[in-house]
Amino acid sequence: MGEFDLIARHFAPLAGPGARGLKDDVAERAGEVITKDVLVEGVHFLPTDPIDLVARKALRANMSDVIAKGAQPTSYLLGLVCPKALGPEAIATFAAGLKVEHDLFGLSLLGGDTTAGPVLMISITMFGKPGPRGVIGRDGAQAGDAIMVTGSIGDGLLGLEAARANPPADDPAALPYRVPNISWSVHEVIAQYAKGSLDVSDGLVADAGHLAKTSGVGIQIKADSVPLSPWGYEARAAGRLAELLTGGDDYQALFTIDPSDIDHVQSRALKELRVTRIGTVTSDLMPGQVQVIAEDGRETPIRIAGWDHFGSS
Amino acid sequence: MGEFDLIARHFAPLAGPGARGLKDDVAERAGEVITKDVLVEGVHFLPTDPIDLVARKALRANMSDVIAKGAQPTSYLLGLVCPKALGPEAIATFAAGLKVEHDLFGLSLLGGDTTAGPVLMISITMFGKPGPRGVIGRDGAQAGDAIMVTGSIGDGLLGLEAARANPPADDPAALPYRVPNISWSVHEVIAQYAKGSLDVSDGLVADAGHLAKTSGVGIQIKADSVPLSPWGYEARAAGRLAELLTGGDDYQALFTIDPSDIDHVQSRALKELRVTRIGTVTSDLMPGQVQVIAEDGRETPIRIAGWDHFGSS
């Protein structure tokens, strides 16, 4: 049973006001958005990843959810589970990693809990201030919308490979896995223009599927329009496009807008960040269906596996 | 280095508005109190504990913090890390445990995250509605105050021993460890009368020390006035009083009031819960010092070890 089925079956009946039926990545409370992402050693980061970068990744994984809802991350609670072998220097380095993100993004720590455990685990609860239209959910995509994505896709996967192959900290190809290159300032663009939105953390195709399913629409992605990094172009030339489109840990925003807003979004966004149109929302497909079209106009068969921590298929 | 030193040295400089300097168990935000307690298999509960009771304990450990601040627990986010071997039935049983607490205490689930990991781990972020005087902190105890405690002390320790000795679910002596007997309705009493307050989770003497240190006062506890359960009386008769007073996992509220309010508190509280005076706040001791006085009026030497997950002493 996958994570989404588990949540739907057992936890959704427990959800209260503000929980959005557990169908989104955030809750709403007292005019704020709240998200909670847990990162576990060996699952979301490698034991060899530098601990200051692990701290930064934990904050960015949560900021990514907040940003994709058109909200500005403000503050957070930290639950830290540490192996006893981890010394005070490691804790100091971890805190220094948090401080880097505080200085970059104006975050502050609200409180939390530290305890011992078998592996390093970081549980963040992050608060954000939504824009004037409130939370931009997964449920707002409509047929005819343009599908936009920030940054580049596939670098999380390639970064994981680099981090595994070459654990020392200074491999630049590993950095997008260790410190996801979130597109912080897109939260204002999303707040103003987006109709449906979420972050890409399970893989582009899987997350497009979540958007499509919750909005009750189909999504068509043009494979050759998906933005890639130099590493991504190399991997694509090696025939690995399908892997890039389904790999996890990208932490980019995926959102839909009215096609008449594309120029506004891009002229505003291009100054500070990369926003690319990669496809169209359509009613010609089954609700929840994602179709990836190759350069030659034919459908690329892609198994929507994505990054499902409970996946058994 | 202990947990409290770690927090003070590395995390307190990162704290922002509402964090109360990380000197309390809760943060304040948008008129609510927020707490975050993480429970780890093998640290806060046993692998043999029934998983529905683990769910209930996780909620109660967090409710205990909220209640001790004079606030009513309302809703929470759940971060759940599960070993892959845990099947759908176990998840259903876990959710059923949450539901029991929802029905008892009017809680609702706001959102969260589920992921895989090496052991079961539950990270709760809980919200509460404070009383008209706001959050009752650790810093309000004053010389002359009476020290009050709810329920009985030492059952967490004895329950852990019973749970270890006899894993089947139906051992009544194990229950106080598995499902702490929190004193939910005391939140109203604390909101109205308490000056300094916190919950007893690290052991009575250690937590009295936290209260004393943060308030800058000394605390004198009369050992024979500490409320015990029938199991506690048995253990005391066996010469284990010091263990009861320093064992963890009691999840009772420890608070100070003006002595003139004792009758009000007890007449109100006795209808629904047990509140006992166990000592006095004093300026005759060093700030932060806790003195335990035995029946014969002599000081009982108790090493303030408590339940420090990072303790190395």
Side-chain angles (χ1 to χ4, degrees):
Chain A
M1 183 185 289
E3 178 178 354
F4 299 98
D5 296 326
L6 270 178
I7 292 170
R9 194 174 304 182
H10 300 300
F11 296 120
L14 302 175
R20 304 175 67 84
L22 305 188
K23 285 181 182 163
D24 224 312
D25 302 302
V26 299
E28 291 172 275
R29 186 160 187 88
E32 297 186 299
V33 299
I34 315 171
T35 192
K36 184 179 185 90
D37 258 21
V38 184
L39 278 76
V40 180
E41 181 180 318
V43 180
H44 305 89
F45 58 90
L46 302 176
T48 47
D49 286 339
I51 195 168
D52 53 334
L53 304 191
V54 171
R56 296 180 60 190
K57 179 175 192 169
L59 289 177
R60 287 182 177 221
N62 281 274
M63 280 195 274
S64 176
D65 277 325
V66 171
I67 290 164
K69 302 297 147 186
Q72 179 179 341
T74 55
S75 57
Y76 65 96
L77 294 136
L78 168 69
L80 183 61
V81 177
C82 288
K84 284 203 187 257
L86 213 68
E89 297 80 16
I91 300 290
T93 306
F94 183 89
L98 299 176
K99 178 71 162 55
V100 170
E101 301 295 299
H102 284 218
D103 292 345
L104 282 171
F105 301 114
L107 294 175
S108 75
L109 176 63
L110 267 175
D113 188 23
T114 56
T115 186
V119 297
L120 184 61
M121 211 227 40
I122 302 120
S123 170
I124 302 271
T125 300
M126 186 163 284
F127 294 80
K129 191 178 177 298
R133 294 191 298 137
V135 172
I136 310 300
R138 292 181 173 193
D139 56 356
Q142 291 179 305
D145 286 358
I147 313 239
M148 316 296 287
V149 75
T150 57
S152 54
I153 291 297
D155 296 332
L157 173 77
L158 299 173
L160 171 58
E161 291 175 358
R164 275 192 177 133
N166 179 23
D170 52 358
D171 183 345
L175 203 58
Y177 173 74
R178 288 171 169 156
V179 184
N181 192 21
I182 55 169
S183 299
W184 190 86
S185 56
V186 83
H187 77 82
E188 292 180 3
V189 173
I190 291 170
Q192 189 169 353
Y193 296 104
K195 294 167 75 177
S197 182
L198 83 176
D199 80 325
V200 178
S201 52
D202 294 341
L204 177 67
V205 175
D207 283 310
H210 301 149
L211 184 63
K213 188 178 174 188
T214 314
S215 293
V217 295
I219 284 179
Q220 199 178 61
I221 293 173
K222 289 182 119 178
D224 61 345
S225 64
V226 175
L228 302 176
S229 70
W231 296 297
Y233 279 108
E234 240 173 68
R236 180 184 168 160
R240 303 184 60 196
L241 181 62
E243 288 175 69
L244 301 179
L245 301 189
T246 55
D249 284 311
D250 281 325
Y251 297 108
Q252 297 301 325
L254 179 73
F255 57 99
T256 79
I257 57 175
D258 193 284
S260 65
D261 285 330
I262 292 180
D263 285 349
H264 299 121
V265 165
Q266 293 204 320
S267 66
R268 174 155 176 190
L270 279 174
K271 289 174 206 155
E272 46 203 27
L273 55 88
R274 185 176 177 190
V275 178
T276 309
R277 177 176 190 173
I278 60 167
T280 304
V281 181
T282 173
S283 53
D284 294 344
L285 298 169
M286 299 277 288
Q289 195 183 345
V290 177
Q291 192 179 53
V292 179
I293 304 294
E295 249 173 305
D296 60 7
R298 295 170 64 176
E299 181 170 358
T300 307
I302 288 192
R303 189 167 145 271
I304 305 182
W307 182 248
D308 184 338
H309 300 296
F310 280 95
S312 55
S313 57
Chain B
M1 184 184 290
E3 177 178 355
F4 300 97
D5 297 325
L6 270 179
I7 291 170
R9 194 176 303 182
H10 300 299
F11 295 120
L14 302 174
R20 304 176 67 85
L22 305 188
K23 285 181 181 160
D24 224 313
D25 301 303
V26 299
E28 291 172 275
R29 186 161 186 89
E32 298 186 299
V33 300
I34 315 172
T35 192
K36 184 179 185 90
D37 259 21
V38 183
L39 278 76
V40 181
E41 181 180 318
V43 180
H44 305 89
F45 58 90
L46 302 175
T48 47
D49 285 339
I51 197 168
D52 54 334
L53 304 191
V54 171
R56 297 180 60 189
K57 180 175 190 167
L59 289 177
R60 288 182 176 220
N62 281 273
M63 279 194 274
S64 176
D65 278 325
V66 171
I67 290 163
K69 301 299 147 186
Q72 179 179 340
T74 54
S75 58
Y76 66 96
L77 294 135
L78 169 68
L80 184 60
V81 178
C82 288
K84 284 205 186 256
L86 214 67
E89 296 80 16
I91 300 289
T93 306
F94 183 88
L98 299 178
K99 178 71 162 56
V100 170
E101 300 295 300
H102 284 219
D103 292 345
L104 282 172
F105 301 114
L107 294 174
S108 75
L109 176 62
L110 268 175
D113 187 25
T114 57
T115 185
V119 297
L120 183 61
M121 211 232 36
I122 303 119
S123 170
I124 303 272
T125 301
M126 186 163 284
F127 295 80
K129 189 176 178 299
R133 294 191 299 137
V135 172
I136 310 300
R138 292 181 174 193
D139 56 355
Q142 291 178 307
D145 285 358
I147 314 240
M148 316 296 287
V149 73
T150 57
S152 52
I153 291 296
D155 296 332
L157 173 77
L158 300 173
L160 170 59
E161 291 175 358
R164 276 193 177 132
N166 180 24
D170 53 359
D171 183 344
L175 202 58
Y177 173 74
R178 288 172 168 155
V179 184
N181 192 21
I182 55 167
S183 299
W184 191 86
S185 56
V186 83
H187 76 83
E188 292 180 2
V189 173
I190 291 171
Q192 188 168 354
Y193 295 104
K195 295 167 74 177
S197 182
L198 82 177
D199 79 325
V200 178
S201 52
D202 294 342
L204 177 67
V205 175
D207 283 310
H210 301 148
L211 184 63
K213 189 177 174 188
T214 314
S215 294
V217 295
I219 285 179
Q220 200 178 61
I221 293 174
K222 289 182 118 179
D224 61 346
S225 65
V226 175
L228 303 176
S229 70
W231 296 297
Y233 279 109
E234 241 174 65
R236 181 184 169 163
R240 303 185 60 197
L241 181 62
E243 288 175 69
L244 301 178
L245 302 188
T246 55
D249 284 311
D250 282 325
Y251 297 108
Q252 296 302 325
L254 179 72
F255 57 100
T256 79
I257 57 174
D258 193 283
S260 65
D261 286 329
I262 292 180
D263 286 349
H264 298 121
V265 165
Q266 293 204 318
S267 67
R268 174 156 176 188
L270 278 174
K271 289 174 206 154
E272 46 204 27
L273 55 89
R274 186 176 176 188
V275 177
T276 309
R277 178 176 189 174
I278 60 166
T280 303
V281 181
T282 173
S283 53
D284 294 345
L285 298 169
M286 298 278 289
Q289 195 183 344
V290 178
Q291 193 179 52
V292 179
I293 305 293
E295 249 172 305
D296 60 6
R298 296 170 64 177
E299 181 170 358
T300 307
I302 288 191
R303 191 166 143 270
I304 305 182
W307 182 249
D308 184 338
H309 300 296
F310 280 96
S312 54
S313 56

